[in-house]
Amino acid sequence: HVVIENGANGNRVSNCYFYDGVGDRRTPAVKIEDSNDCEVSYNELRNWDGRGIQLLLKGDKNTGGKGMKSCERTHVHHNYIHDFPQPAKKSNSGDCLQSGHYSGTTYVETGAIFEYNLVHDCNKDNEALSVKSSGNIIQFNTFTSMKKATVQVRHGTDNKLIANWVENTLGM
């Protein structure tokens, strides 16, 4: 897996193949933690044991991150994420795409853009896409064949979901 963290700004993860990730079920294929202006593009993630692409934001559980910024202007696009198997027991660590991870990142402004990603047959978690932050743009993505997963905005403000295709899933 790839980890970009602690102010490692302006990095790009592109044209990589992540397959059969094993180990800690929470390990994402790509994790960007508190780093700005990064790009994750044209990758394939298949049969991964943890999360797919995660923006792990700096937050504050007391204020929800109000006034904070983290992982600013991250661009996640043209990735093919597929065949994340359903675990034997319920999991809360299989989000394919994630921006923010708890109520402490509700008001953290990211300005992240998730676009033109294809997410197919990912039933590991009930959230194929999980937004728990603010100022994200989710547009032109395709989510298919996920009978146990949804596209969710659980926390945050000023998030925009524009022209996404959702087919044979639990919905948005």
Side-chain angles (χ1 to χ4, degrees), residues 108-165:
V108 176
E109 293 286 332
T110 67
I113 299 173
F114 292 83
E115 64 182 351
Y116 300 106
N117 297 291
L118 172 57
V119 181
H120 174 77
D121 195 22
C122 294
N123 290 296
K124 185 172 180 189
D125 191 285
N126 64 351
E127 297 173 273
L129 176 128
S130 174
V131 176
K132 297 174 187 139
S133 58
S134 296
N136 297 281
I137 298 173
I138 314 298
Q139 63 185 6
F140 313 124
N141 299 288
T142 301
F143 299 91
T144 63
S145 297
M146 295 180 294
K147 295 178 181 170
K148 298 186 184 295
T150 62
V151 174
Q152 290 192 24
V153 177
R154 287 182 40 199
H155 301 283
T157 61
D158 197 31
N159 291 301
K160 295 174 177 61
L161 284 80
I162 304 164
N164 295 286
W165 184 267

Side-chain angles (χ1 to χ4, degrees), residues 52-68:
I53 299 168
Q54 178 185 43
L55 305 187
L56 190 60
L57 311 177
K58 189 186 282 187
D60 182 328
K61 66 180 180 179
N62 296 317
T63 66
K66 198 164 262 193
M68 298 177 79

Side-chain angles (χ1 to χ4, degrees), residues 4 7-13 32-40 55 57 69-77 109-113:
I4 299 170
N9 300 326
N11 286 286
R12 178 179 180 194
V13 178
I32 299 175
E33 182 174 356
D34 199 29
S35 298
N36 301 323
D37 301 304
C38 294
E39 178 181 356
V40 181
L55 305 187
L57 311 177
K69 295 183 180 200
S70 186
C71 293
E72 293 181 87
R73 299 171 302 278
T74 298
H75 193 190
V76 178
H77 63 96
E109 293 286 332
T110 67
I113 299 173

Side-chain angles (χ1 to χ4, degrees), residues 79-90:
N79 297 287
Y80 178 32
I81 304 169
H82 62 103
D83 300 312
F84 280 34
Q86 184 175 354
K89 60 182 182 176
K90 189 174 178 179

